[in-house]
Amino acid sequence: MTKKLITGAELLIQYLEKKGVDIIFGYPGGAAIPIFDALVDSKIKLVLVRHEQGAAHIADGYARATGKPGVVLVTSGPGATNTVTGIITAMMDSVPMIVLCGQTITTSLGKDAFQEADVFGITAPIVKHSYLVKNPVDIPRIVEESFYICSTGRPGPVVIDLPKDITGAMTPIQDSPPVMDIPGYTFPTHARSKDIQKIANYIKQSHRPLILAGQGALISEAYNEIQELAETIQAPVVNTLLGKGVFPENHPLSLGMLGMHGTAYANKALTRCDLILSIGSRWDDRITPGKIERFCPDAVKLHIDIDPAEINKIVVPDASAVGDAKLVLRDLIPLLGKLNTKEWLKEVDQYRRKFPLNYKKTGGLKAQHVIDELYKLTKGDAIVTTDVGQHQMWAAQFFKSHFSRSWISSGGAGTMGFGFPAAIGAQFGCSKKTVIAIVGDGGFQMTAFELSTAMLHKLPIKIVVIDNKFLGMVRQWQQLFYDDRLSGVNLEGNPDFVKLAEAYGVKGFRIKRAADVRKILSRALAYSDGPCLIHAEVIKEDNVFPMIPAGGAAEDMLIEAPKVKMEKPKGST
Amino acid sequence: MTELQLQRSQNSHTISLLVANKPGVLLRISLIFSRRGFNIESLVVSPTLDGRFSRMTITAQGDPSILEQIIKQAAKLVDVVHATEHKDISAVQKELALVKVKLNPETTGRVLQVVEHFKATTVDLTSNSLIIQATGSSEKLDAMISFLSEYGIIELVRTGKIVMARGKEKT
Ligand SMILES: Cc1cc2nc3c(=O)[nH]c(=O)nc-3n(C[C@H](O)[C@H](O)[C@H](O)COP(=O)(O)OP(=O)(O)OC[C@H]3O[C@@H](n4cnc5c(N)ncnc54)[C@H](O)[C@@H]3O)c2cc1C
Ligand SMILES: Cc1ncc(C[n+]2csc(CCOP(=O)(O)OP(=O)(O)O)c2C)c(N)n1
């Protein structure tokens, strides 16, 4: 009996369905039409975005909120290149994502065909893996491998370039499940027990231990284990920007975020600990000084990470365990008992009391006030996405994360334009949750057109535009380190964001006075008939503190605005 | 060895990779080197016993601490089965060179002495040139080439280094 023939595109969609894909974010074009055609008969929901960058960030937000890979579908050439920023954003923050790109027909490859771009080449440095499909028969195997690769080990984006003659070709349906052929791909699970024992031995000798929880702990879903570890050894916990939520920031042992704009008490603890245990953090340069010898010079450094390449990359640890955070902690905890850290916890508490995060509600409307009130009104029970800049840092400081996957922010790439589309993805993934996008006036304008997408799908996202009429974070640097010589940061002439929202059929709210914050936010949070935008016109020239100037160590932290002229920072950015 | 040569050989590393025989592998590996400012000096790609895999032998110059990153990042690639650095003692390292040298009646004898000394062979002879084929360690080839340069080298082609781990060790 001859097998039934279907198109390569139909085969692709069949296997995406088999992998549990129920939603794709896409934008069509000539080279991708066969795939869009196959979607007509599929139960997979197709969400038409307004720009391919939006599709990539939406898929990213979806993946970070749910833990499931986000799937993007775009056409060749400019369609594919528009996703590049989204791909690097996902790569830097280890987000599982699959980007399907239409491509010119195989016989035209390399001939400057219409809308041909070497997508395999362009994306090679920013993907976990990629494919150029040359034969429709390979599609099931490639889909199988792609999902496996993007979501296991250290997750990351996978690009699949699909020439139109391949997706259009007739090919037999396949009965047997695809067999993966990736002999070079392995990832650690359990760590070696002698490494875990060595870590345990160091911890047992510590009087002032500090746990550093990063996004890797979140990816491995090690929340219970981290809590158990912290409570067992009675150690305070700091988290990275991307580790927010993996250990509840309202837990008595939590010191919140460390690093450049972390809490003063987290950074003070960093200068005083005698041991620091990183669980799934990659010692990014926002938390470590340029001169790495200055990082916790007297502390024992321990590192748990699934990626062997992270060990010794920035910090050379005294002991390390390569493996999945959750599995490593499960093996580690039984080796440990209660430590006597009373003095240390007392000391840390003093920092907490002496250097609290604060702001004044007087002197005009403050971004911090808006964010703080959002936190209080929701009691932290929301998924918060942010864009990049000052508002991101204030959100990290004032919106405490109580749950994992409740905080979504572009950390490694720091991609402006990420926050709002990421909220769309998060809301698609978690329809019952309150999703709040906290964005700057600059970054929001980079992807604001996705208001259409949010509106058409009636997603009840709250978009909070912190409008300071400046590219605030850059202005802060120019003020502090470049003699207040402002250059290219003035956003005077911003649109009226309420009217902009209304033009898309989105409900708009406006906050101008501190006295109205609570009232208006309450109304916006109660609004459920689709998305709403809250235009918060905050004071123009506020700056984020505490701050460790780039390249500096925790000792160099500025708790408030410096009175003296600052030198240009030595760190990268 | 001159000081420069010594420094070069200390900073020169030989890395052997077993990779899946798939398109794009070379691109991905070269990106790992170029992103970190490493210059690849020689690169040999060859089939292995098992057709699914290829062997790559790369020599490159650079800071050893960055090299550790490079090897780890290469090993992490989906298409790389393993990546290791090979030091002189633990592996046999060989290279082949073809050297086209000018010939004239006064120098021919001396050129042939060099050939003999380095256990090289002559593989092509014309009235005014000679092609010499030599195999051995890269250092031996360097030395031979430096002798031959006195007589006028017209062209030089080297295969780049290949390595094989000794005894039970796998390459
Ligand atoms: C304007 C701006 C300011 C910033 N300021 C700060 C700041 O003050 N403080 C701060 O912390 N960050 C800050 N950041 C973010 C910073 O740039 C980094 O993105 C962040 O610190 C990285 O956090 P991470 O190491 O936890 O996560 P990632 O970069 O995602 O690294 C995760 C690590 O976990 C590992 N991993 C993955 N899966 C597992 C697993 N299953 N088991 C074990 N390990 C695993 C990975 O291999 C990786 O090493 C800022 C960013 C911007 C844009
Ligand atoms: C795509 C992109 N371009 C430029 C930058 C550099 N950058 C970082 S923060 C920032 C200012 C952001 O301004 P805004 O969105 O208004 O937020 P604010 O800092 O004022 O809260 C800029 C330009 C970036 N991170 N991303």
Side-chain angles (χ1 to χ4, degrees), chain A residues 53 85 367 387-394 410 413-418 439-446 466-476 488-489 491 494 538 540 542 544:
Chain A
Q53 182 182 352
T85 303
D387 214 76
V388 170
Q390 292 185 313
H391 65 279
Q392 177 188 28
M393 295 297 109
W394 283 317
S410 165
T415 304
M416 283 173 71
F418 172 81
V439 297
D441 46 328
F444 180 58
Q445 292 187 70
M446 289 196 172
I466 303 291
D467 181 10
N468 54 5
K469 299 181 174 57
F470 267 121
L471 294 172
M473 183 58 95
V474 180
R475 177 191 45 71
Q476 171 163 352
V489 291
L491 291 187
N494 266 340
V538 299
K540 289 178 65 177
D542 202 357
V544 187

Side-chain angles (χ1 to χ4, degrees), chain A residues 263-326:
Chain A
T263 66
Y265 35 95
N267 289 331
K268 288 272 177 198
L270 200 63
T271 64
R272 285 280 301 145
C273 65
D274 69 1
L275 176 146
I276 179 162
L277 167 63
S278 161
I279 306 170
S281 123
R282 63 182 171 86
W283 313 108
D284 180 78
D285 54 57
R286 307 275 97 164
I287 65 172
T288 50
K291 278 205 176 64
I292 202 68
E293 310 81 72
R294 294 190 64 207
F295 180 71
C296 302
D298 302 322
V300 166
K301 296 164 196 83
L302 308 175
H303 194 179
I304 298 172
D305 204 293
I306 202 163
D307 181 355
E310 289 300 337
I311 311 294
N312 291 350
K313 187 182 85 175
I314 308 287
V315 163
V316 178
D318 296 280
S320 60
V322 174
D324 174 69
K326 190 187 185 94

Side-chain angles (χ1 to χ4, degrees), chain A residues 30 61 108 140 219 245 252 263 356 358 372 377 389 440 447 455 465 508 534 549 554 564:
Chain A
S108 294
I219 291 169
T263 66
N358 60 9
D372 190 25
L377 287 168
T447 44
M455 196 279 295
V465 182
I534 301 107
V564 292

Side-chain angles (χ1 to χ4, degrees), chain A residues 153-170:
Chain A
R154 180 175 184 168
V158 172
V159 167
I160 309 179
D161 211 16
L162 292 145
K164 190 178 181 181
D165 53 333
I166 302 296
T167 51
M170 297 310 286

